Amino acid sequence: MSYRICLVCMGNICRSPMAEIVLRKTLDDHGLGDLVTVDSAGTGGWHQGGPMDERAAATLSARGYDGSLHRARQFQADWYGQVDLVLAMDRENLRALRRLAPDGADVRLFRSFDPGAPEGAEVPDPYYGEQEGFAEVLRMVEAASVGLAEHLAKKLR
């Protein structure tokens, strides 16, 4: 049985799918790919079924990641019974997820696993900005993914 993680942003077309793809690769690199299942979703359903934002996909591709298969989904409250850890990209989504969460659900900010990030740090939404915002998101996601992989290596082994 694998440990299940769901990464969540607003629409599931920028931050959370970038984090999903990077975290999967990072977990594989740490020998945890067979122990952890990673997926992503959005708190809103506006983009359901659609692909990743082109800028997000291009940013990933430039660093050797492939986001071409991603399709946006909306987080559902009944997923809490199937997911061990829910990670929000920002405080707004964290609040929305906690409103849906049953007692005892593990819901946190994704950047809480980045040892170099200040407490309460968020992954900012690059959607309305320029391409460099996506590159910054990727840097944040990579740092948090390494921290999470190191945390899970201790927890799951």
Side-chain angles (χ1 to χ4, degrees), residues 10-89:
M10 191 69 69
N12 193 220
I13 61 168
C14 296
R15 297 171 289 173
S16 60
M18 289 177 77
E20 174 187 354
I21 289 162
V22 169
L23 181 57
R24 274 196 195 128
K25 169 79 168 74
T26 305
L27 291 168
D28 284 345
D29 291 349
H30 282 77
L32 298 169
D34 292 338
L35 300 175
V36 183
T37 301
V38 180
D39 62 18
S40 66
T43 55
W46 315 278
H47 302 288
Q48 246 179 211
M52 185 183 304
D53 180 281
E54 290 177 4
R55 298 163 297 174
T59 301
L60 286 172
S61 180
R63 291 289 297 268
Y65 300 102
D66 181 8
S68 64
L69 298 179
H70 175 76
R71 292 299 172 261
R73 305 179 317 147
Q74 183 174 11
F75 189 88
Q76 303 297 315
D78 63 357
W79 293 4
Y80 279 110
Q82 305 159 26
V83 176
D84 298 294
L85 178 61
V86 178
L87 296 172
M89 297 296 121

